[in-house]
Structure formats: structure tokens, C-alpha cells
Amino acid sequence: QVQLVESGGGLVQPGGSLKLSCAASGILFKVYAMGWYRQAPGKQRELVATITSSENTNYADSVKGRFTISRDNARNTVYLQMNSLKPEDTAVYYCNANLARTYYWGQGTQVTVSS
């Protein structure tokens, strides 16, 4: 009964902002590392950002300084604040939960950056 449900995607202009949310259920959320990944058409899925249970964070070089990952354990939710968006950020964004060799994925939310 594990579920990861992403929300917050949409269409924004270059330079704009979006905040994605991923609500988790069916897991002991606070012990899982959480992450955001993205996949653009014709490209491999790539890591965007991760946050551990201790709230250590890691970002892809392409988003450093623009994106911020955070988590709210009381709400079983991980967020991705995206600022200064570029057309190159256009992709389906996926939420991931990981503990040791166990991992789960959401179904993704579309982010389109276009004028």
C-alpha cells in the first residue's frame, strides 16, 4: 500500500517558480531518504536532489542555487522549491523514497518551462 503522489507541476515562464510536493503513505517516512528525479523527452532519468533522514541534501550541478529540497516528517511530505526556472528544466519530475535496498517511485508530475 505504498504510495508516493506528486503534485504542483504545471506551465511556467522562464525565470518563474514552482513548488512540487510529494506525499508519501505506507512507509515510515521519517527513516527514508527522499529524492526528486526528472526525465525529459529522449533523455535518461536524472537525479535532481536528495535529502536524507538527517536532512543532508545533495543537488545536481544543473540546479544548485536554484532548487531547494526539504521535508516535513509530520506531513510525510517532501518538497522541491524551483526558482529561476529555465526551459532546460522541462521534464516529468518523479518522487523517490529509498531505504537501503528498498525504493519506491511516484508516477510523476509534468513541469513545462516555456514562454
Side-chain angles (χ1 to χ4, degrees):
Q1 295 180 324
V2 176
Q3 280 197 97
L4 302 177
V5 181
E6 301 97 335
S7 61
L11 174 64
V12 294
Q13 296 189 109
S17 297
L18 278 177
K19 188 173 185 177
L20 306 183
S21 299
C22 172
S25 60
I27 60 171
L28 188 59
F29 180 83
K30 67 179 181 180
V31 308
Y32 277 75
M34 303 296 298
W36 288 96
Y37 295 72
R38 68 187 182 187
Q39 187 167 25
K43 300 184 70 175
Q44 297 281 352
R45 186 175 298 187
E46 65 176 350
L47 184 149
V48 176
T50 59
I51 183 166
T52 70
S53 61
S54 300
E55 299 195 9
N56 293 316
T57 58
N58 182 48
Y59 297 92
D61 287 342
S62 59
V63 307
K64 282 182 179 177
R66 299 189 297 122
F67 291 11
T68 303
I69 189 170
S70 62
R71 65 192 296 158
D72 185 343
N73 290 338
R75 296 184 175 183
N76 287 2
T77 301
V78 63
Y79 304 95
L80 185 68
Q81 177 67 52
M82 305 185 294
N83 299 324
S84 302
L85 283 161
K86 305 174 180 179
E88 308 94 272
D89 296 318
T90 296
V92 177
Y93 284 70
Y94 297 91
C95 179
N96 168 266
N98 171 251
L99 180 63
R101 287 167 286 179
T102 300
Y103 59 94
Y104 302 101
W105 293 93
Q107 289 193 269
T109 185
Q110 177 71 47
V111 172
T112 302
V113 185
S114 177
S115 58

